Amino acid sequence: MSDPPVLLSIIHFTTCSISIIFGSILLLIAALRTPRYLSSYSVLLRTLTVIELMTSMSAFLVFPRIVPLGMEAVACVYSGPVKRIFTNKFIFYLIELHGTVQYNVFMAVCFCYRYYVLRYEAPSTLRVRMFMALIYLFTFSLFVLFSTCLAPHEVTLFYINKYVPHYDIDPESVQAIVDLSHSLATPAIVWTILTAGTLSSLNVIVGSAIFRFLNDKSRHLSERTRSTHRPFIVALSLQGVIGQLILFAAIGYVLGQLDLVRSQILEYSTHMVSEFCVATSPIITLLYVKPYRKVFLSIFGHDFVNRPRSVTLAVPQISVTPVQ
C-alpha cells in the first residue's frame, strides 16, 4: 500500500507536536496568569487555544490525505496512528476538520474584538461567552449534519476505483462522502471553503483598519492605550498573514474537486497547511503579548528579558597638582 512520503510525515508529526506543546503552555498561562484588564479577551483566547489543541491532537492521529473524486465524492485516506489504534476513525477526522474551520472563524472574531474595544467599551465576560456560543454553534451544527453522511464501505471503494484506480490505497483506511450535489455534508464543505477565503480577507481588512486607527493622531488616545493595543495587533497580523496559506489549501482542494489538478503532495497539503497555521498561533501569542511573554520566558529562567538593566560607567580619576 502507498505510505506518505517520509519528509511529509516528519513535517506533519513535528508540526502537530509543536502545536500541542506550545498550545498547552499558552492555555495554562492564560487560565492562571491573565491580568484582570484582559479578562474578556482571555475568554476568546482560551477558546481559540482549546480549538487549536483539539485540532492538532486529532490531526496528529489522523494525518489525512484528501482525495477529491470528481464532482461526485471526496475521500479521506487515514495515514496516521488512528488507522491502527481506533475502529471509528471518522470521528477524529471530523474533529480536525471542524477545528480547522472554527480556527478560521475565531481568528476573525479576535480581529473584530480588538477593533471593537478600540472604539467602544470592552464587553463583559458574559456577553463575550454568549456571542462565542452563538458563533460556535453555527459551524458545529453544519458538522453534525456532515457526520451523518459517511458512505458505506463498498460505495467508497466503487468511487475510488472509478476515479483513481491507479492509486495504491489501503481499502481499510479510506472513507468517503458521496453524492455531493444532494448531500447534507455539502453545506459544511462549502462553509469550510468560504471561511478560508472570506474570513482571511476580513482579517486583512480589519487589521488594516486597526493600524490606521492607532496611527491616527487626531484620535484622542493616550500613548499608553496605543502601546497596549499594538502588541495584540502585531500578533494578530502575523497570525492573519500566515493564515492566508489556508486560502491556497482551499484553492488546491477546489482544483482537485474539479479534476483539474491531481497530486499526492497536494492531497496531503490540504490539511498540512492548516496544521502549520494552527501551530504558529500559540507561539506568536506567547512571544508578542507581553503578560503572557513574561510568564512564558520565566518558565525557562529568562526573567532578565523584562528586567531593567543598569549601566555603570567607570570614570578614571585625574590628579592635578597645582603649579607652584
Side-chain angles (χ1 to χ4, degrees):
M1 75 190 65
S2 178
D3 291 323
V6 175
L7 180 59
L8 290 185
S9 296
I10 293 172
I11 294 173
H12 164 77
F13 289 112
T14 301
T15 301
C16 291
S17 298
I18 290 173
S19 181
I20 293 168
I21 292 169
F22 285 94
S24 300
I25 293 173
L26 176 58
L27 184 61
L28 187 64
I29 293 175
L32 300 179
R33 301 293 296 275
T34 294
R36 181 172 296 179
Y37 71 91
L38 291 179
S39 58
S40 294
Y41 181 71
S42 72
V43 176
L44 271 174
L45 182 63
R46 291 198 301 267
T47 303
L48 178 63
T49 306
V50 169
I51 289 170
E52 291 167 349
L53 274 173
M54 295 293 290
T55 305
S56 296
M57 288 188 287
S58 56
F60 183 95
L61 292 171
V62 176
F63 193 8
R65 175 185 180 183
I66 304 304
V67 182
L69 303 172
M71 294 299 292
E72 292 186 279
V74 58
C76 176
V77 181
Y78 304 106
S79 306
V82 72
K83 66 180 181 180
R84 299 183 180 88
I85 301 174
F86 300 99
T87 304
N88 187 358
K89 310 173 194 62
F90 184 64
I91 185 64
F92 292 95
Y93 175 65
L94 194 62
I95 293 171
E96 178 183 3
L97 182 58
H98 170 258
T100 300
V101 179
Q102 294 285 19
Y103 164 80
N104 288 332
V105 171
F106 277 91
M107 189 60 68
V109 171
C110 287
F111 269 93
C112 294
Y113 176 88
R114 295 315 314 176
Y115 186 67
Y116 180 89
V117 297
L118 270 175
R119 301 184 67 93
Y120 309 101
E121 185 179 351
S124 66
T125 301
L126 178 60
R127 288 179 63 190
V128 172
R129 287 197 176 108
M130 291 174 61
F131 178 75
M132 287 193 307
L134 291 174
I135 296 293
Y136 183 90
L137 285 174
F138 175 75
T139 300
F140 180 79
S141 63
L142 292 180
F143 279 91
V144 169
L145 295 176
F146 184 92
S147 67
T148 65
C149 300
L150 195 62
H153 189 60
E154 60 275 9
V155 175
T156 296
L157 296 182
F158 168 79
Y159 280 97
I160 290 290
N161 292 326
K162 178 180 178 180
Y163 284 96
V164 287
H166 55 288
Y167 275 22
D168 183 16
I169 295 176
D170 179 8
E172 301 302 320
S173 298
V174 60
Q175 293 178 309
I177 302 291
V178 302
D179 195 19
L180 294 180
S181 60
H182 300 89
S183 175
L184 290 176
T186 302
I189 295 173
V190 172
W191 180 236
T192 301
I193 297 170
L194 285 177
T195 56
T198 57
L199 294 185
S200 297
S201 302
L202 176 65
N203 293 345
V204 173
I205 294 170
V206 176
S208 300
I210 294 173
F211 271 112
R212 288 196 302 270
F213 191 92
L214 289 175
N215 293 326
D216 187 355
K217 299 302 181 182
S218 65
R219 301 285 181 180
H220 298 292
L221 295 175
S222 67
E223 190 55 39
R224 180 179 179 181
T225 299
R226 296 178 194 270
S227 61
T228 299
H229 282 278
R230 281 197 183 101
F232 290 97
I233 305 311
V234 171
L236 284 172
S237 297
L238 286 173
Q239 291 165 332
V241 169
I242 294 173
Q244 296 295 312
L245 295 173
I246 296 179
L247 174 59
F248 294 100
I251 292 172
Y253 165 76
V254 171
L255 292 175
Q257 199 75 67
L258 296 173
D259 214 11
L260 298 175
V261 178
R262 192 168 293 282
S263 163
Q264 182 187 41
I265 293 178
L266 187 64
E267 290 164 357
Y268 277 109
S269 66
T270 299
H271 277 289
M272 288 185 67
V273 167
S274 61
E275 291 167 10
F276 173 76
C277 297
V278 169
T280 58
S281 178
I283 298 174
I284 291 172
T285 301
L286 286 168
L287 292 179
Y288 281 91
V289 179
K290 186 176 179 180
Y292 300 138
R293 181 179 71 235
K294 185 176 181 181
V295 178
F296 173 64
L297 294 177
S298 70
I299 294 174
F300 300 97
H302 292 298
D303 281 328
F304 64 89
V305 172
N306 295 302
R307 203 178 287 164
R309 303 178 186 182
S310 59
V311 178
T312 303
L313 297 177
V315 180
Q317 294 183 351
I318 301 175
S319 176
V320 180
T321 302
V323 178
Q324 299 294 327

